[in-house]
Amino acid sequence: MTTVMTSLDDTIAAVATPWGEGGIGVVRVSGPEAVRVGERVFHSPSGVRLAEMTTHTCHVGMIQLCGEPVDQVVATVMREPRSYTGQDTVEFSGHGGMVPLRRILEACLQAGARLAEPGEFTLRAFVNGKMDLAQAEAVADVIRAKTDQALTAALHQLEGHLSEAIRRLRQDLLELLAHLEVGLDHSDEDHPFLDREALLHRCTEVQHALERLLGTTRTGRLYREGLKVAIVGKPNVGKSSLMNVLLREERAIVTPIPGTTRDVLEEGLNLRGIPLVILDTAGMRAHSQDPIEQLGMERTRRVLEQTEAVLFVLDTSVPLTEEDRRVAELLNGKPTIVVLNKADLPACWPPQALDALMQRSPSPPPSPTRGEGKTSRPPPSPPTGGRGKGEGGRRSIPAVRISTIRREGIDQLEEALWHSVMGGTIAPHDGVLVTNVRHQDALRRAQDALQRASTAASQEAFEECVALELRNALDALGEIIGATTTEDFLQAIFSTFCIGK
Ligand SMILES: Nc1nc2c(ncn2[C@@H]2O[C@H](COP(=O)(O)OP(=O)(O)OP(=O)(O)O)[C@@H](O)[C@H]2O)c(=O)[nH]1
Ligand SMILES: [Mg+2]
């Protein structure tokens, strides 16, 4: 982190609302000189000076730059410590256009403010003790939430529920350490020392609490980060049509000409509160000579590497071909749902053909749950994708029969996708939810350190060894709330924020 960013001595300014056109746009100024900077640029018709304004009041006035009017604004003054950053803050709400906002900002910079770094207002809030690190991270999550559930989870973290859970666990560890240290310091005097049984018991309790928190990470991360789902298949099977039906809008071009989609199309979708990113891909051809199509297919291969789940589209109205097999082989064990499209047309191949096709896929997908018998099967009788028995524990891949043209089977497909994504279960999210991979990593390290502490204690190792591991666990937990941090670490976190937050 640059020293500029950690310094609280200067006054920073930035446009806090998105660039574009809107009813209002806000320029935020914060720091010890915020009121003075504001006073230099703000002129109220009533003659009220910004420095005289009572805290948490607003006044209408004009921003001037080099004596020229720039925009009419409402100025709000929030004096320290009762502001977002904990420092004096002035916010100018101007007209939400790029030019007026740029000029208001320019006026503030000329009046002595410095342009804020990304996330610098929130960094100041953290440094000034307005919020801890997990709460500061939640601010970015609230802004980026794509679904109601993601927002609920982020707000929960912003309110400090995760931080509270972490603090309690740290408190438990601190007490254990205190016991150990008393024991260590007075080891010659036979000081009453927390016996190993009790120590082990309390370590295990903390470990269980960590396990419970870690158990929420899958759900938590799904809410926060969402999931990438690729639609793949050979040309003309209806991948783009499926994308459009799922999005309920004509996003992708659909034509009867094979090879219509050349690039990867990406679009967000809310699946029962889980943000999904759906990727429509170019049809995979076994031997395409067209260089553009080859590039498209190369991209599809890369997309498959990055996505967590796959919708593998087959056209049931035409025979299966080598191209379908090639795609099946690329799936490489990804959680997959086979989408049997064009169910409105007569079926051209028997269900067993699907079994044969999917058997060539290198490894089985992890247990997607079939939707309580709701998953459709292709005609005339269900293809099971059913390689569950007698095949070395291979599990069946769900297959859903749809017609994008008639919009049939889409609910069932969404149901299957939901089960595939959530593994059929979803942790209740009214409790503490770990949504962030950084927190997950710290919890794991704390867990490992406690495991080593328990092992050391049970092997009657020196108390110093146990204490060392307890301290490691404490530090790892401290990273979550920012009790133990480094400058680089803060830089890495806050640089992902937007400017003005
Ligand atoms: N009968 C019928 N035709 C369909 C259905 N879904 C798609 N089609 C038609 O199939 C053709 C190809 O559809 P697309 O969605 O462009 O197929 P694609 O897999 O994206 O094709 P590429 O981008 O070329 O790989 C179009 O003419 C669609 O109208 C369906 O459910 N039933
Ligand atoms: Mg297409």
Side-chain angles (χ1 to χ4, degrees):
M1 168 170 302
T2 58
T3 43
V4 172
M5 196 162 165
T6 42
S7 158
L8 297 176
D9 303 337
D10 53 359
T11 295
I12 53 173
V15 176
T17 41
W19 286 105
E21 288 183 13
I24 298 174
V26 175
V27 173
R28 182 187 257 172
V29 187
S30 191
E33 293 289 308
V35 174
R36 252 181 298 273
V37 166
E39 174 138 313
R40 284 181 203 130
V41 300
F42 177 79
H43 301 272
S44 152
S46 64
V48 177
R49 289 178 49 224
L50 209 124
E52 291 163 355
M53 281 169 56
T54 319
T55 185
H56 293 80
T57 59
C58 17
H59 288 260
V60 178
M62 189 65 82
I63 299 289
Q64 288 186 0
L65 174 61
C66 307
E68 289 292 315
V70 162
D71 192 16
Q72 196 175 39
V73 300
V74 173
T76 312
V77 174
M78 288 157 279
R79 293 191 187 269
E80 65 161 27
R82 290 174 54 214
S83 73
Y84 181 69
T85 59
Q87 296 184 299
D88 278 353
T89 300
V90 176
E91 284 181 3
F92 295 121
S93 304
H95 294 95
M98 307 242 271
V99 178
L101 287 174
R102 184 172 48 73
R103 301 213 72 201
I104 297 171
L105 176 62
E106 211 177 312
C108 294
L109 298 181
Q110 278 205 6
R114 160 175 73 74
L115 187 64
E117 303 274 334
E120 198 171 358
F121 292 95
T122 310
L123 173 70
R124 288 188 174 200
F126 164 67
V127 175
N128 285 323
K130 286 284 185 178
M131 56 178 79
D132 66 36
L133 202 51
Q135 289 174 301
E137 287 171 301
V139 169
D141 292 346
V142 167
I143 293 170
R144 294 190 185 127
K146 298 280 184 297
T147 64
D148 291 351
Q149 281 85 343
L151 176 62
T152 307
L155 283 174
H156 206 254
Q157 188 174 318
L158 181 60
E159 284 171 340
H161 295 284
L162 172 67
S163 308
E164 186 50 40
I166 298 298
R167 279 204 185 87
R168 274 201 302 271
L169 293 175
R170 290 192 88 226
Q171 189 54 39
D172 288 348
L173 292 180
L174 275 170
E175 280 169 22
L176 275 184
L177 258 176
H179 271 293
L180 268 181
E181 274 158 9
V182 168
L184 293 175
D185 290 343
H186 299 79
S187 51
D188 295 341
E189 301 162 26
D190 226 10
H191 189 89
F193 168 72
L194 185 72
D195 71 50
R196 279 173 198 272
E197 278 300 304
L199 176 76
L200 275 170
H201 177 70
R202 290 178 62 176
C203 268
T204 312
E205 275 179 354
V206 178
Q207 274 175 288
H208 283 161
L210 290 178
E211 245 157 54
R212 279 194 296 277
L213 281 176
L214 279 165
T216 69
T217 52
R218 187 177 137 75
T219 307
R221 286 187 57 195
L222 274 178
Y223 279 135
R224 179 171 178 264
E225 292 165 21
L227 187 97
K228 280 192 168 177
V229 181
I231 305 179
V232 298
K234 74 178 173 193
N236 222 38
V237 289
K239 299 180 294 300
S240 301
S241 307
L242 174 58
M243 166 105 160
N244 291 346
V245 194
L246 287 173
L247 294 175
R248 292 164 179 84
E249 67 170 86
E250 297 306 306
R251 171 73 176 81
I253 298 173
V254 169
T255 77
I257 306 159
T260 301
T261 308
R262 300 267 177 130
D263 214 334
V264 179
L265 290 182
E266 230 181 277
E267 207 56 64
L269 174 73
N270 176 346
L271 180 74
R272 302 180 190 180
I274 300 291
L276 297 188
V277 177
I278 304 278
L279 297 105
D280 178 23
T281 61
M284 295 284 286
R285 283 225 164 118
H287 306 288
S288 172
Q289 299 303 318
D290 179 347
I292 301 177
E293 235 172 78
Q294 280 178 353
L295 278 176
M297 290 188 304
E298 189 45 45
R299 255 183 217 183
T300 304
R301 280 194 198 97
R302 263 186 277 142
V303 159
L304 273 171
E305 281 164 21
Q306 297 160 16
T307 47
E308 286 94 353
V310 178
L311 297 176
F312 175 25
V313 187
L314 296 169
D315 181 346
T316 54
S317 71
V318 296
L320 288 171
T321 62
E322 186 54 27
E323 286 169 334
D324 294 308
R325 288 182 192 101
R326 296 283 290 269
V327 182
E329 278 170 13
L330 280 178
L331 298 178
N332 210 12
K334 281 257 152 84
T336 298
I337 296 170
V338 178
V339 181
L340 302 154
N341 191 28
K342 310 201 186 179
D344 52 291
L345 300 174
C348 192
W349 39 271
Q352 297 81 330
L354 178 62
D355 283 359
L357 178 78
M358 296 312 289
Q359 269 169 35
R360 289 186 45 179
S361 174
S363 57
S367 66
T369 311
R370 263 68 47 210
E372 290 91 42
K374 284 184 198 160
T375 304
S376 308
R377 311 290 186 178
S381 64
T384 56
R387 294 155 297 116
K389 285 181 187 157
E391 290 188 36
R394 278 191 166 224
R395 298 212 181 100
S396 62
I397 296 177
V400 184
R401 195 178 152 216
I402 68 162
S403 163
T404 66
I405 280 202
R406 292 199 185 150
R407 292 174 189 263
E408 284 169 5
I410 306 305
D411 287 350
Q412 286 88 334
L413 177 59
E414 285 183 349
E415 177 79 16
L417 190 53
W418 167 258
H419 280 285
S420 170
V421 168
M422 299 310 297
T425 57
I426 176 159
H429 54 279
D430 48 349
V432 174
L433 207 54
V434 178
T435 60
N436 186 314
V437 67
R438 185 183 80 78
H439 302 170
Q440 184 183 6
D441 173 61
L443 287 169
R444 284 218 183 99
R445 280 186 284 116
Q447 179 89 306
D448 291 347
L450 278 182
Q451 187 55 50
R452 289 192 298 272
S454 299
T455 309
S458 60
Q459 290 171 351
E460 313 229 333
F462 289 121
E463 285 86 19
E464 283 93 338
C465 300
V466 183
L468 177 76
E469 294 299 354
L470 288 183
R471 259 183 236 109
N472 285 338
L474 201 60
D475 285 350
L477 292 180
E479 283 175 23
I480 296 175
I481 51 174
T484 38
T485 67
T486 63
E487 298 239 320
D488 288 349
F489 185 65
L490 292 179
Q491 165 82 46
I493 291 172
F494 285 96
S495 61
T496 64
F497 278 55
C498 32
I499 288 193
K501 191 64 243 180

